Amino acid sequence: MKHLLPTLLVMLAVCLHTVEAQDEITIHVDGQPLAELITAEQQKSLQTLNITGELAEEDYAFLREGNLPQLRELNLRKANIHTIPKKAFYNYGEDSFPYKECQITLPEELLFIGDSAFYEAQVNLILTGKFPQKGI
């Protein structure tokens, strides 16, 4: 009986650790939609998302539509993105998130930012490469 309690406590700790929400992940996106790479559980609790690879238009829509309500940081530093499309983050964070502002680290290889890409967005941008041209 003395050994049963410590064993149960260890088992409980392991179970709790297993179901603990993951607050930061790194995902390589190339061809597969971002929505398929992030589980429903991760979508609810994710605070930091690091992306490598190349985002498609549907990935920007997934981000813009508030599918990651706890997101505080979107790191695109290592993403293979030369152009952020127009309206990519349009109205991003406005009413979709409890944290009204999100930090977006721009890709190192970024050359162009499309018209209204961050219009009305509640974001703090971090520039990691050369200053991109805007208005394409």
Side-chain angles (χ1 to χ4, degrees):
M1 190 67 167
K2 284 199 249 180
H3 300 290
L4 183 59
L5 184 59
T7 303
L8 288 175
L9 289 175
V10 169
M11 289 174 59
L12 179 61
V14 168
C15 289
L16 289 175
H17 181 70
T18 303
V19 297
E20 182 179 298
Q22 196 171 8
D23 64 350
E24 180 174 359
I25 60 172
T26 299
I27 292 181
H28 182 73
V29 179
D30 259 336
Q32 190 173 4
L34 188 57
E36 294 177 10
L37 297 170
I38 302 175
T39 67
E41 186 62 35
Q42 289 171 326
Q43 288 181 27
K44 293 178 199 171
S45 62
L46 192 61
Q47 293 181 17
T48 301
L49 176 58
N50 304 299
I51 294 179
T52 62
E54 191 169 342
L55 292 175
E57 181 57 40
E58 66 189 299
D59 298 324
Y60 290 105
F62 173 80
L63 292 167
R64 191 174 51 243
E65 291 166 359
N67 291 299
L68 305 172
Q70 302 297 320
L71 193 66
R72 293 182 182 187
E73 181 179 358
L74 175 61
N75 185 346
L76 302 173
R77 177 187 300 263
K78 298 295 181 187
N80 184 23
I81 299 172
H82 296 108
T83 301
I84 293 182
K86 64 182 181 179
K87 296 189 176 183
F89 294 97
Y90 179 85
N91 212 22
Y92 184 78
E94 182 65 19
D95 295 317
S96 307
F97 309 104
Y99 308 108
K100 292 296 183 190
E101 288 189 357
C102 179
Q103 175 178 296
I104 299 179
T105 303
L106 297 174
E108 292 174 343
E109 299 178 9
L110 185 64
L111 300 174
F112 303 99
I113 296 178
D115 286 333
S116 302
F118 296 99
Y119 183 75
E120 295 289 324
Q122 304 296 313
V123 297
N124 294 317
L125 298 174
I126 297 177
L127 186 63
T128 58
K130 294 180 181 178
F131 197 82
Q133 295 181 14
K134 61 178 185 159
I136 57 159

